[in-house]
C-alpha cells in the first residue's frame, strides 16, 4: 500500500484499490455474512420437471424435521401485494416469475418450496424431505428444436430491419456467408447469490442483498410489498462479482422476504452453485446467420445478419445481438433480423457485453474470412470500411479513436510479424496462429445524485447509493475527487452500498464511471465555488472571492496571482465558523449528446497454439487495446480489461451449458463440469488504452470499459485458430473435438 | 450446526450412552402420544428437537488463528460452515460448497485445505489458519501486500482463498516459475479474471524469499 501519502498536488498515476485492505484481510462483508441473533437459514427446493403443474406437495416430514421453523409453498404462501394486479389492464408490480404464486412449473429447478430452519444443515436436510407429484407436459429446452417446432415471438423489436437495399450482398464480387452457434453461457460470479432479510413488524424491512442496483432492489421490494421508501433499507457493501447476474431482484430474494415474514425471524437464503445455473439468468443460446459482400477492393457492399436466441416461456428477454452489425462499419446496405423463441428454461439476462458479445462472433469472424478471400490484412479491411459517422443515423461520434486503438494494439502485439497465409507457422510442435477482432459497445451516462461533505478536518466524504461488483467504483471516484480538489487519497472517503444514501445508478452497461464520475467531477466544481464563497470570511484573500482566482491543491486554496496567500480547507471552514460544507450534487445526461453517437471500442489480438494431434487450443498471448475515453484509474482499468479477456477465453474455448433435453435438466451445473478459465488457461495479458478524453459525454472524459473488454474476443480466437490450422470453427466453444 | 458448549456439556457422553438416552427420550415421547394434551406440552417444549439436538452434537477442540475453541458441532457440519456461521470468521468464502473453486481454502496444520470438503469434527486437535489470522497485528502478510500492489483481485470474493493458496504454493516449493505458479494455483478460480495479476503477486513474494506462514 505504497501511495497513501500526501506529497504533492500532481496527478497520482497509481492508486491502489481503496477497499483493497478489507478484501485481502477477509474483513469485506458480503450479503451472507452478517451476524444477527436468531438468524434462520432458508433453502430453496426446485422442481424436477420442466413443464406442467404440481399435483401434490408433501411438506409434512420437512415441517417435523428438527430445527425447522417453517416451509413456504404455493399452497400456504401469504402473497405480497405486488403479486396481484390492481386491475386487469395492468400487470402486477412483481415482474417475471412470481415465486410460489401458483402450481405452474415453467422450468426445471423452479422454486417450489422454501424450507427454513435454525441451522444450514437442518434446513438442507429438511429440504430433501419435500416431495412433490406433478402433471407433466411436453417441453423443449434447445434452440435448434424450437426453431423447427415453434414460431418466434412477434412484435416490432423482432421485425426485419433494412438499411438501403435488402439483398445487396448477394450481388457483390466477393462474398462470405456462414452459420454460427453459441451455447448458453452462465455468469457464475464467485459469490453465490445471497439474501439476508430482517423484518421489523409488517411494514419495515432491512435486506442485505447481492445486487448491482441498490436503488432498483429497494424499488422492487417497495413495489412487491407495498412499502414506503424509508421502510425498505437495502445494504450491499460488497458484491462478489455480478457480470449482469445481479441486475435483477430474483425469485429467491422474494422467497427470502416472504419466508422471513412468515417465521418472524431474520433469514438468510444462499443459492447453491447448482442453483446459480437456473435461478439468476444466463446468456442465451444463439444460432446466427451472417452474409457479407464486398467489392474487389474490400469495400463492403452489403451485410445480412439474422440472430435466433432463446427466452423463457413466461418472460421476453431481448438484447442487441444484431446492433453491432449495423453500427460498426460503414456499409450502405444492411439487413438484420432478430428472432426469439421461448423454451422451458428460466429467463436469460444480460451477461457481460450483452448482445454484442453474441453478435460480434459471426460479424468479426466473417470479416476475417472476407480478408483472406481478398488477400487483405484483416486490419486494413476494417480501416477500409471505417465509419467516420454513425452509419445508422449519420450522427458524428462524441469521440472515436478506434484507428488509434488498431495501431496501438498492433504495435504492442507485433501484428506485423503475422504470416499472411494460414496453417504455416509452427513452434515446438504446435501450430501457431494469430487473430484479431473489434468490439463495440454504446457509451452511456445516466442520472446520479451525490452527497458531498467537506468536514472540519479537511476530509471529503462522498455518498451515493450504488454498489460495486468489482471494477472499483470507489477507487475511481476517489481518484477523480483527489485530482479535482488537490486532496490526498486518505482524505477522501467514498461511501456506497446503502439505499438511504442519495440515489445512484445501477452498475450495468459500463456506465458507472461515466455516470457517478460526472457527479463527482461537477460536485467538486460546486464544492470549489462554495469554498470560495466561504473564504470571504478569511482576511487572507481580501475581497477576492471568485472561484476562478484560486488553485485547489495540497488541500489548500491558493491565490493564483500570489501563491504565498493560501489557506487550508480546514482553515477556510474555521474562519467562516462552519463545521462542514454539505450538499447534494445532481448529475444527468448532457443534452448536447442528442446530436452525437457515443461508443467505446476494443481491439483484441490473440496468439494461439493448436496441438496438431489433440486439437488442444492454448492462448499464448493476448493484447487488448481500448478506446474507453480518458482512463481515470489506470491500475483498476487495466485489471478490468484483463478480466474481460479472461472471461472471453472462457467463452471462446470452454464455457458451454449442457442440458439433457429429455429431462430439461442442466447436466454440467457446477465448476467441475462447466469449465471457466483457471490460472493455467491464462497467459500474461496486456491491456493498453488510447486514453483520450471524450469531450462531450461527461466532464470526466471517460467512456465505458467493462463490456468491450470481452466483446469480440471469441472471434479473435476463432480467427487465430483459422490462421493456425486453416479450419474455420463457427461453433463455440472451440473444443478439441472440433479441430481433429 | 453448532452451539457453544454449556458447562454441563463439557463431558460429552459416549456414543453408547447418547444412543441409550435418545431411545429413552423417544420412547417416552411415544408413550405420551396417548395423552394429547401432554403431547401438546411436549411439542411446545420441543422435546424431540432437544433430543435430536443433543444426539447430533459432537465436541470439537480446535485452534483457529492461535485461539483455542471448544465447540459442540453436528458431525455433518463442514469446517467452512463452522468457521463462517459459528465462529463468524467469514473471510473464508463459500463459492461452490463442492470443492471445485478454492474460495474456502484455509491452512490446517500449515497445509492448504478446502474447508468446504472437510468435516469440522475431523479437525479435532488441529491448528487452523484463516485469512483473518494471516496478518500479524497491524502488519499485513507479504502476500496480502503483494495482492494489493499488483491488483490481484476485483470483487474480492475469491481473494482470501487465492491468498491462502498462494502462501502455501510458495511454502510447498511450487512457485519456481510463472507456469509452475499457474499450475499449482489452478484450484482457485477467479471469475473477475485477475489471474495475471495474482501470478505477478505470487512471483514477487516468491522471489523475495517466500513468506512467513
Amino acid at each position: 500500500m505504497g501511495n497513501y501519502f500526501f506529497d504533492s498536488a500532481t496527478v497520482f498515476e497509481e492508486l491502489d484499490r481503496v477497499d483493497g485492505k478489507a478484501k485481502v484481510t477477509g474483513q469485506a462483508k458480503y450479503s451472507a455474512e452478517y451476524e444477527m441473533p436468531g438468524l434462520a437459514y432458508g433453502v430453496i427446493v426446485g422442481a424436477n420437471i420442466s413443464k406442467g403443474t404440481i399435483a401434490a406437495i408433501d411438506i409434512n416430514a420437512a415441517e417435523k424435521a428438527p430445527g425447522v421453523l417453517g416451509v413456504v409453498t404455493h399452497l400456504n404462501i401469504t402473497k405480497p401485494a405486488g403479486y396481484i394486479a390492481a386491475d386487469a389492464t395492468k400487470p402486477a408490480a412483481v415482474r417475471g416469475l412470481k415465486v410460489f404464486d401458483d402450481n405452474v412449473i415453467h422450468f426445471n429447478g423452479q422454486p417450489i418450496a422454501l424450507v427454513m430452519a435454525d441451522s444450514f444443515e437442518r434446513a438442507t436436510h429438511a429440504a430433501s424431505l419435500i416431495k412433490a407429484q406433478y402433471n407433466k407436459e411436453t417441453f423443449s429446452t434447445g434452440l435448434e428444436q424450437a426453431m423447427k417446432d415453434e414460431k418466434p415471438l412477434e412484435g416490432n423489436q423482432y421485425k426485419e430491419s433494412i438499411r438501403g437495399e435488402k439483398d445487396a450482398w448477394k450481388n457483390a464480387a466477393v462474398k462470405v456467408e456462414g452459420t454460427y452457434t453459441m451455447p448458453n453461457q452462465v455468469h457464475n460470479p464467485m459469490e453465490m447469490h445471497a439474501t439476508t432479510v430482517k423484518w421489523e413488524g409488517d411494514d419495515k424491512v432491512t435486506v442485505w442483498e447481492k445486487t448491482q442496483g441498490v436503488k432498483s432492489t429497494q424499488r422492487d421490494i417497495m413495489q412487491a410489498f407495498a412499502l414506503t421508501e424509508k421502510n425498505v433499507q437495502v445494504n450491499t457493501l460488497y458484491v462478489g462479482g455480478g457480470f449482469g447476474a445481479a441486475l435483477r431482484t430474483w425469485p429467491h430474494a422474494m422467497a427470502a422476504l416472504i419466508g422471513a415474514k412468515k417465521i418472524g425471524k431474520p433469514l438468510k437464503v444462499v443459492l447453491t452453485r447448482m442453483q446459480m445455473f437456473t435461478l439468476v439468468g444466463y446468456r442465451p443460446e444463439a444460432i446466427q446467420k451472417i452474409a457479407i459482400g464486398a467489392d474487389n477492393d474490400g469495400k463492403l457492399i452489403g451485410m445480412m445478419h439474422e440472430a435466433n436466441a432463446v427466452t423463457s416461456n413466461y418472460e421476453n428477454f431481448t438484447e442487441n445481438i444484431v446492433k453491432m452489425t449495423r453500427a460498426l462499419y460503414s456499409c450502405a446496405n444492411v439487413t438484420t433480423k432478430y428472432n426469439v423463441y421461448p423454451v422451458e428454461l428460466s429467463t436469460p439476462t444480460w451477461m457481460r457485453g450483452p448482445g454484442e458479445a453474441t453478435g460480434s462472433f459471426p460479424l468479426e469472424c466473417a470479416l476475417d474470412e472476407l480478408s483472406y478471400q481478398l488477400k487483405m490484412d484483416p486490419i486494413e479491411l476494417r480501416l477500409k470500411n471505417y465509419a467516420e459517422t454513425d452509419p445508422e443515423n449519420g450522427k458524428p461520434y462524441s469521440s472515436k479513436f478506434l484507428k488509434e486503438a488498431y495501431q496501438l494494439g498492433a504495435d504492442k502485439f507485433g501484428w506485423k510479424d503475422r504470416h499472411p497465409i494460414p496453417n504455416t507457422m509452427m513452434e515446438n510442435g504446435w501450430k501457431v496462429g494469430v487473430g484479431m477482432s473489434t468490439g463495440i459497445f454504446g457509451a452511456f451516462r445516466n442520472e446520479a445524485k451525490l452527497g458531498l461533505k467537506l468536514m472540519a478536518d479537511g476530509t471529503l466524504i462522498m455518498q451515493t447509493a450504488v454498489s460495486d461488483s468489482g471494477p472499483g467504483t470507489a477507487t475511481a471516484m476517489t481518484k477523480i475527487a483527489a485530482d479535482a480538489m488537490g486532496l490526498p487519497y486518505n482524505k477522501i472517503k467514498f461511501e456506497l452500498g446503502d439505499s438511504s444514501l442519495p440515489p445512484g445508478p445501477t452498475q450495468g452497461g459500463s456506465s458507472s464511471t461515466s455516470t457517478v464520475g460526472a457527479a463527482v467531477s461537477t460536485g467538486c466544481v460546486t464544492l470549489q465555488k462554495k469554498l470560495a464563497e466561504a473564504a470571504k470570511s478569511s482576511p487572507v484573500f481580501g475581497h477576492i472571492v471568485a472561484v476562478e482566482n484560486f488553485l485547489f491543491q495540497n488541500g489548500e486554496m491558493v491565490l493564483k496571482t500570489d501563491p504565498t496567500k493560501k489557506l487550508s480547507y480546514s482553515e477556510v471552514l474555521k474562519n467562516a465558523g462552519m463545521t462542514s460544507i454539505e450538499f447534494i450534487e445532481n448529475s444527468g445526461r448532457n443534452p448536447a449528446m442528442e446530436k452525437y453517437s457515443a461508443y467505446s471500442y476494443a481491439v483484441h489480438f490473440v496468439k494461439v497454439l493448436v496441438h496438431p494431434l489433440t486439437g488442444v487450443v492454448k492462448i499464448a498471448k493476448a493484447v487488448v487495446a481500448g478506446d474507453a475515453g480518458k482512463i481515470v484509474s489506470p491500475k483498476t482499468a487495466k485489471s478490468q480489461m484483463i478480466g474481460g479477456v479472461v472471461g472471453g477465453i472462457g467463452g471462446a474455448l470452454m464455457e458451454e451449458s449442457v442440458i439433457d433435453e429429455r429431462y430439461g435438466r442442466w447436466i454440467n451445473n457446477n465448476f467441475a463440469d462447466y469449465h471457466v478459465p483457471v490460472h493455467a488457461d491464462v497467459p500474461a495479458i496486456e491491456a493498453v488504452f488510447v486514453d483520450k478524453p471524450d469531450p462531450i459525454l461527461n466532464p470526466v472524459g471517460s467512456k465505458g470499459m467493462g463490456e468491450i473488454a470481452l466483446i469480440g474476443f471469441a472471434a479473435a480466437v476463432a480467427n487465430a485458430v483459422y490462421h493456425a490450422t486453416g479450419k474455420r470453427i463457427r461453433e463455440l466453444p472451440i473444443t478439441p473435438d472440433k479441430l481433429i | 450446526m453448532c452451539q457453544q458448549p454449556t458447562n454441563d456439556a463439557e463431558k460429552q457422553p459416549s456414543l453408547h450412552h447418547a444412543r441409550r438416552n435418545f431411545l429413552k427420550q423417544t420412547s417416552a415421547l411415544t408413550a405420551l402420544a396417548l395423552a394429547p394434551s401432554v403431547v401438546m406440552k411436549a411439542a411446545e417444549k420441543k422435546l424431540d428437537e432437544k433430543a435430536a439436538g443433543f444426539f447430533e452434537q459432537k465436541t470439537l477442540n480446535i485452534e483457529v488463528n492461535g485461539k483455542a475453541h471448544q465447540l459442540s458441532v453436528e458431525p455433518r457440519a463442514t469446517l467452512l460452515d463452522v468457521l463462517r456461521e459459528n465462529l463468524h470468521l467469514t473471510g473464508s468464502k463459500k463459492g461452490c460448497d463442492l470443492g471445485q473453486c478454492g474460495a474456502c481454502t484455509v491452512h490446517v496444520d500449515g497445509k492448504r485445505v478446502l474447508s468446504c470438503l472437510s468435516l469440522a469434527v475431523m479437525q479435532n486437535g488441529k491448528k487452523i489458519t484463516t485469512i483473518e489470522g494471516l496478518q500479524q497485528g497491524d502488519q499485513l502478510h507479504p502476500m496480502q501486500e503483494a495482492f494489493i500492489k499488483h491488483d490481484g483481485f476485483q470483487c474480492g470474493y475469491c481473494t482470501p482463498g487465492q491468498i491462502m493458496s498462494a502462501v502455501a504454493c510458495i511454502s510447498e516449493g511450487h512457485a519456481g516459475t510463472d507456469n509452475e505458479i499457474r499450475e499449482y494455483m489452478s484450484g482457485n478460480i477467479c471469475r473477475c479474471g485477475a489471474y495475471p495479476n495474482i501470478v505477478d503477486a505470487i512471483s514477487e513474494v516468491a522471489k523475495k524469499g517466500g513468506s512467513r506462514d
Side-chain angles (χ1 to χ4, degrees), chain A residues 368-385:
Chain A
D368 193 67
E369 197 173 354
L370 189 65
S371 77
Y372 284 98
Q373 285 208 22
L374 289 161
K375 297 190 167 47
M376 202 171 180
D377 183 281
I379 297 177
E380 196 189 330
L381 174 62
R382 285 164 171 86
L383 291 173
K384 183 101 192 167
N385 296 286

Side-chain angles (χ1 to χ4, degrees), chain A residues 17 23-25 30 33 41 119 121 186-187 268 273 635 639 643 655 670-672 677 679-680 682, chain B residues 1 84-85 88 90 93 95 100 135 144 149 151 153-156 162 182 185-186 191-192 195 197:
Chain A
R17 276 171 205 272
K23 286 177 174 175
V24 302
T25 55
Y30 299 79
E33 300 177 345
Y41 297 76
S119 80
E121 289 78 14
V186 187
H187 311 68
K268 168 159 92 182
R273 182 51 66 183
K635 193 171 192 168
S639 295
E655 291 186 42
N670 60 78
F671 280 136
H679 277 278
V682 179
Chain B
M1 263 314 292
R84 284 172 64 86
E85 305 299 337
H88 307 296
T90 54
K93 302 302 182 193
Q100 298 169 342
Q135 69 194 85
Q144 291 171 313
K149 179 182 165 192
D151 210 29
F153 53 91
Q154 289 181 47
C155 81
Q162 299 277 0
R182 289 187 185 110
M185 286 298 293
S186 279
R191 195 60 167 148
C192 296
Y195 297 128
N197 297 353

Side-chain angles (χ1 to χ4, degrees), chain B:
Chain B
M1 263 314 292
C2 34
Q3 298 151 3
Q4 295 288 352
T6 54
N7 286 335
D8 57 358
E10 264 174 8
K11 282 185 185 170
Q12 194 76 358
S14 71
L15 189 62
H16 179 71
H17 281 117
R19 185 176 295 130
R20 202 165 59 196
N21 286 341
F22 178 71
L23 290 173
K24 255 192 223 166
Q25 293 194 27
T26 46
S27 49
L29 288 173
T30 315
L32 289 172
L34 297 170
S37 66
V38 184
V39 173
M40 288 298 286
K41 261 187 193 164
E44 274 168 30
K45 288 179 183 168
K46 297 209 167 191
L47 282 183
D48 56 337
E49 248 175 61
K50 282 181 184 163
F54 174 74
F55 188 59
E56 285 169 5
Q57 302 291 314
K58 293 281 288 176
T59 300
L60 169 65
N61 290 293
I62 48 171
E63 189 185 309
V64 182
N65 301 332
K67 192 178 164 193
H69 294 269
Q70 189 184 57
L71 304 169
S72 180
V73 303
E74 285 194 23
R76 62 186 169 183
T78 65
L79 175 59
L80 176 63
D81 284 323
V82 168
L83 290 171
R84 284 172 64 86
E85 305 299 337
N86 187 242
L87 297 176
H88 307 296
L89 293 168
T90 54
S92 305
K93 302 302 182 193
K94 188 182 275 193
C96 67
D97 220 7
L98 299 166
Q100 298 169 342
C101 79
C104 66
T105 306
V106 299
H107 295 174
V108 177
D109 291 341
K111 295 207 164 80
R112 53 175 158 171
V113 160
L114 296 173
S115 62
C116 84
L117 278 193
S118 312
L119 291 171
V121 288
M122 296 169 74
Q123 316 308 318
N124 204 37
K126 293 188 175 161
K127 289 182 180 174
I128 318 286
T129 307
T130 70
I131 190 73
E132 290 94 339
L134 205 56
Q135 69 194 85
Q136 288 187 348
D138 288 340
Q139 183 63 44
L140 293 182
H141 187 282
M143 193 62 78
Q144 291 171 313
E145 296 269 13
F147 265 62
I148 293 173
K149 179 182 165 192
H150 292 278
D151 210 29
F153 53 91
Q154 289 181 47
C155 81
Y157 199 78
C158 75
T159 312
Q162 299 277 0
I163 291 174
M164 297 310 285
S165 226
V167 170
C169 182
I170 293 177
S171 62
E172 290 161 10
H174 290 144
T177 64
D178 284 0
N179 275 339
E180 194 183 15
I181 292 169
R182 289 187 185 110
E183 200 62 35
Y184 282 89
M185 286 298 293
S186 279
N188 289 80
I189 298 176
C190 169
R191 195 60 167 148
C192 296
Y195 297 128
N197 297 353
I198 294 171
V199 172
D200 289 348
I202 299 172
S203 174
E204 183 182 273
V205 177
K207 281 181 190 131
K208 281 183 182 167
S211 52
R212 44 159 234 271
D213 195 23

